[in-house]
Amino acid sequence: MIRPSLRALAATMSVSALLAGCTVGENYERPQVISPDQYRFVDGPAQAQTLADAPWFEIFQDPELQALIKEALGNNLDLQAALARVEEARARAGIAKSFYYPQVDGQLSAGWRGSSSDDDTRAESVTENVNYGFGLSWEIDLFGKLRRQRESALAIAFASEQNRRGVLVTLIGDVASTYFLLREFDLQIDIARRTLALNDETVAYFRNRLDGGVSNRLEVDRIVANRAQTAAAVPDIERQRAYAENLLSFLLGRGPGPITRTALTLGENLPPTVPPGLPAQLLERRPDVALAEQLLVAANADIGAAKALFFPTISLTGFLGGVNGDLTSQLGGGGAVFSLTPGLLQPLFNAGRLKQNVRVMQARFDAAIAEYRKSALNGYREVANALVTIQKLAEIREQQRIGVEALTDAADLARARYDSGLASYLEILTADQELFTRQLLLAQTLGAELRARAELYRTLGGGWQTTTQP
């Protein structure tokens, strides 16, 4: 009785092996994406060298910033959440793979049945049976439904890894940008306090002249008002600096508190711009583009899985075990039992449900293509924006530096002319106000230029290749 069943099982497995390559749906091919020959706003011919190839600790050589980035990589909560999502996606891919194989379950059941007679003897009888053994269930993947489902799950797992890399790249960029913003605020506060000290000297000078009868109340009031305007700028910048410190503390995974940093000066030399590399590299390097492509791979696999639902589902169910109890004697043997049941399920009518399901998956695939191409184009746009920002901020900074030097000289000349009786106090007042404003603008431009370099590194997809110092 067993041999025919074994032959049926062997035949079914042979058919499964022969049809294993029959997978419904098109295999994934990367869609065409418009890629420029070189990035816009790049001086000279395109070069293969790119800023993004260097690890972050070679790009940001400030020891204080390096320590902050390392702390953020170890403690940032967004990064920890992204890592947990990677583990979840990997586990789901493992679940999808498990359906390739038969499911075997241990089974145990016991039953008792009793009866009694109505005569005077009141005889009772109890029947006891215990069933035990192993159950088998297996869906044979003849048309590739399970393979397409696992392909989709693997792509989602790869997408989650790219999402983690994207969080990491963004985190490095955010820490660096916020750090540079803090240094900019420090410089602005230093400028404001030095200007305030100069204003205090000017106020004292004119009050002494007023007390000596060589000045008037109008001059003193205007000078005091100018000093108050400068003094009011200090707490406002300090407020913005506190916000930036709190943000950086949050990125580091700690409570709000002070951040150790190096000072920024108006004369600080910025590193030269490193070539951004070839645009084609961006499709492989940027995590958001790679993530969009993996979602596209998953959508393509989902179409195949949806199409496979039109074909028969072949399954095997079986049981091998034994029976103990009163039933054993009735069987006249040792109580061994087995069963093997092949099954076939062919959808015949479902009011177009399967067809609509394929349309749903096709629409998702079309949307995923658009999102992939959008991610690539957005990457090129962000790189071009970062490049032109660096170039133009450098030009602005140079002109502002010339203006600050000229206004510094003008402020000194205004004081000398006033002492010689050749100018009014308004020249001193105007020169001080303009110099203070131009110095603040120069500090803001210098900080923005530093942040633009960090932004270029992020837009090129740099930072995730090497996350820790050797």
Side-chain angles (χ1 to χ4, degrees):
M1 297 296 292
I2 297 179
R3 289 181 180 177
S5 299
L6 291 178
R7 282 197 296 267
L9 176 60
T12 304
M13 295 182 66
S14 299
V15 173
S16 175
L18 289 174
L19 297 180
C22 181
T23 303
V24 178
E26 299 292 334
N27 292 327
Y28 172 76
E29 292 185 6
R30 175 181 288 180
Q32 294 294 326
V33 176
I34 300 175
S35 178
D37 295 332
Q38 70 175 47
Y39 294 111
R40 193 182 181 196
F41 306 114
V42 173
D43 297 328
Q47 301 181 26
Q49 180 187 7
T50 173
L51 178 71
D53 285 337
W56 58 264
F57 48 80
E58 292 181 6
I59 300 299
F60 308 116
Q61 298 188 2
D62 185 328
E64 300 292 347
L65 177 54
Q66 288 182 353
L68 293 174
I69 292 177
K70 288 184 66 176
E71 182 179 352
L73 294 179
N75 300 328
N76 181 262
L77 299 178
D78 288 333
L79 193 57
Q80 293 177 13
L83 181 59
R85 286 191 289 269
V86 171
E87 295 301 321
E88 176 189 355
R90 288 175 178 173
R92 291 185 180 277
I95 292 173
K97 183 180 179 181
S98 70
F99 290 106
Y100 284 5
Y101 307 101
Q103 177 176 335
V104 180
D105 301 309
Q107 299 181 12
L108 174 65
S109 63
W112 294 266
R113 185 174 63 182
S115 63
S116 62
S117 62
D118 294 333
D119 56 14
D120 296 337
T121 60
R122 293 293 182 182
E124 296 183 358
S125 64
V126 177
T127 302
E128 175 182 322
N129 293 303
V130 178
N131 300 328
Y132 57 90
F134 300 95
L136 168 72
S137 60
W138 185 19
E139 179 180 343
I140 302 173
D141 192 27
L142 294 183
F143 301 100
K145 181 186 72 173
L146 299 181
R147 275 167 284 165
R148 288 302 189 193
Q149 289 176 344
R150 181 168 187 258
E151 181 183 347
S152 176
L154 281 175
I156 295 297
F158 291 144
S160 68
E161 172 61 25
Q162 295 300 331
N163 179 70
R164 183 194 67 84
R165 290 175 173 179
V167 172
L168 190 148
V169 170
T170 301
L171 175 62
I172 292 174
D174 288 347
V175 170
S177 295
T178 309
Y179 178 80
F180 293 143
L181 182 61
L182 279 175
R183 296 179 67 199
E184 174 193 325
F185 286 143
D186 289 342
L187 179 57
Q188 290 185 41
I189 291 174
D190 180 64
I191 292 170
R193 287 175 176 169
R194 284 189 284 108
T195 303
L196 187 59
L198 181 62
N199 292 160
D200 288 338
E201 294 177 2
T202 304
V203 169
Y205 174 76
F206 276 89
R207 279 178 173 167
N208 290 334
R209 289 175 60 86
L210 177 63
D211 294 341
V214 294
S215 183
N216 58 69
R217 190 71 183 177
L218 177 61
E219 290 181 339
V220 174
D221 288 343
R222 294 292 298 271
I223 294 297
V224 169
N226 182 56
R227 187 262 177 201
Q229 182 178 1
T230 303
V234 175
D236 185 59
I237 301 174
E238 289 177 337
R239 174 187 60 81
Q240 298 179 64
R241 183 177 65 177
Y243 284 1
E245 281 186 322
N246 294 340
L247 173 59
L248 188 49
S249 297
F250 173 76
L251 294 174
L252 299 177
R254 56 160 110 149
I259 301 294
T260 304
R261 53 192 178 272
T262 56
L264 179 66
T265 63
L266 289 175
E268 181 163 328
N269 294 323
L270 298 178
T273 303
V274 179
L278 301 174
Q281 298 171 331
L282 201 68
L283 300 181
E284 306 294 338
R285 182 176 289 108
R286 271 185 62 125
D288 61 333
V289 179
L291 184 152
E293 183 174 15
Q294 290 303 321
L295 294 179
L296 181 58
V297 172
N300 181 75
D302 288 339
I303 293 177
K307 290 181 177 179
L309 294 176
F310 285 96
F311 295 89
T313 299
I314 306 238
S315 61
L316 284 177
T317 57
F319 179 80
L320 176 64
V323 179
N324 279 337
D326 297 331
L327 184 58
T328 304
S329 60
Q330 300 176 16
L331 292 173
V337 295
F338 71 92
S339 67
L340 182 64
T341 308
L344 183 146
L345 176 64
Q346 172 62 58
L348 295 178
F349 176 77
N350 47 48
R353 186 184 308 117
L354 298 183
K355 183 182 295 184
Q356 296 302 322
N357 186 50
V358 172
R359 291 184 60 189
V360 168
M361 298 306 168
Q362 183 64 53
R364 289 183 180 178
F365 177 76
D366 294 340
I369 288 181
E371 290 294 335
Y372 171 66
R373 289 173 173 163
K374 175 185 173 182
S375 298
L377 292 177
N378 183 63
Y380 298 139
R381 178 187 67 86
E382 288 187 348
V383 172
N385 287 350
L387 288 170
V388 72
T389 299
I390 292 174
Q391 292 178 10
K392 299 309 176 183
L393 284 177
E395 297 174 9
I396 293 172
R397 175 170 54 87
E398 177 59 23
Q399 296 303 316
Q400 288 178 342
R401 182 190 62 79
I402 294 173
V404 166
E405 291 178 354
L407 286 172
T408 300
D409 185 58
D412 294 339
L413 289 175
R415 281 174 168 76
R417 284 168 55 82
Y418 182 86
D419 292 340
S420 302
L422 300 176
S424 70
Y425 75 97
L426 291 176
E427 288 190 11
I428 297 177
L429 190 64
T430 302
D432 286 348
Q433 288 176 333
E434 290 186 358
L435 178 59
F436 175 56
T437 301
R438 295 294 180 86
Q439 285 179 328
L440 288 182
L441 289 175
L442 179 56
Q444 292 170 3
T445 301
L446 182 60
E449 197 172 352
L450 286 170
R451 294 195 299 277
R453 280 170 162 76
E455 177 65 10
L456 176 60
Y457 188 60
R458 183 197 68 79
T459 59
L460 290 172
W464 62 263
Q465 297 91 337
T466 305
T467 58
T468 56
Q469 287 181 298

